[in-house]
Amino acid sequence: ALQMPPTNREVMANAPEEVDSRRAFLQRSIALATSTIATTSLSPNVAHADDNELMEVYFGCGCFWHVQHEFVEAERRILGRSDMQLTARAGYAGGTQGAGAAGKVCYHNALKIGDYGSLGHAEVVRLVIPPSSFPQFVREYVALFNEKGYRPDQWGDVGPEYRNLIGLPGGTSSPLVKQMVQVSQQNGDKLDFAKGRGNDPDARALCFIMDTQQYPFYVAEQYHQFHDGFNWGENYPNSYNDLASKLAKANVLGTSNCPNGLIGVGALG
């Protein structure tokens, strides 16, 4: 069901301002995805679209470590993408303060610079995909939840920083929202949906729909990219972990220019 509950906070009149590093990162990612997909032979049942149809979306469901891995596998399976074509990136989105006074969005750090939680953001995973494949990625998203709408880390990572959200161009005004709700209903009907107002709360089985223009994506630090999962023993192959340095060397991973959160306060997802 699509809910439109009233908000207890005022929506900012103007969209958050995008920092240059995020804009440049997105342009490079789209350019890489379109150029490599255009030269790759895909099987007939793989969803794809013309270059100018690619769009940016993001998904939030608790800690972004496990979520990124699941969407990397989905990109490979649904779109037939190779390592260098992958667009899944861990990051932050959904806050009303954008990049804040520091002009950057960062993980918790001892210097308290651009703290994503203080800015109202949640942990998300960004993708650049053809609109025709969106329903398939929504299916991957709802599969993360159990029959009661609990996410994998429901009893571990709690609070607004780990809330459920989906970002797409136009938000609730997008024609893709109808497809999104239908896919959710067809796959267990585990979630309710509401229009995201920014700085939204964490609620079980409730997913906020965000407009990616008003609530843009900010890429996370490199040490968060292609990380092992949050559960004990949830370790991924070295070939997966090494994607962070591989894509960084190709200048397509994205640069956050943030302090290293590993120093001082740790780096729990």
Side-chain angles (χ1 to χ4, degrees), residues 109-173:
N109 58 87
L111 299 177
K112 298 183 179 180
I113 295 176
D115 184 285
Y116 80 101
S118 298
L119 295 172
H121 295 296
E123 296 188 11
V124 301
V125 172
R126 190 287 321 261
L127 298 161
V128 180
I129 60 174
S132 61
S133 69
F134 181 66
Q136 293 169 273
F137 283 94
V138 173
R139 188 176 300 112
E140 298 295 322
Y141 178 71
V142 298
L144 295 171
F145 299 84
N146 70 10
E147 66 279 0
K148 294 183 179 180
Y150 291 116
R151 57 179 180 256
D153 59 348
Q154 188 72 48
W155 304 113
D157 292 325
V158 296
E161 297 169 3
Y162 305 104
R163 63 189 182 269
N164 310 319
L165 54 111
I166 295 177
L168 69 163
T172 55
S173 65

Side-chain angles (χ1 to χ4, degrees), residues 62-65 107 116 123 153 157 161-162 224 230 267-269:
C63 174
F64 46 24
W65 291 345
Y107 191 71
Y116 80 101
E123 296 188 11
D153 59 348
D157 292 325
E161 297 169 3
Y162 305 104
H224 277 308
F230 49 77
L268 295 176

Side-chain angles (χ1 to χ4, degrees), residues 72-86:
V72 164
E73 294 305 306
E75 279 194 272
R76 296 188 194 279
R77 184 174 63 259
I78 297 171
L79 300 175
R81 288 178 171 172
S82 64
D83 287 354
M84 296 306 296
Q85 294 173 323
L86 295 170

Side-chain angles (χ1 to χ4, degrees), residues 13 24 39 52 62 81 88 102 110 113 144 179 192 205 210 231-232 266:
T39 58
N52 61 359
R81 288 178 171 172
I113 295 176
L144 295 171
Q179 296 180 32
D192 286 323
M210 314 302 297
N231 286 326
W232 182 261

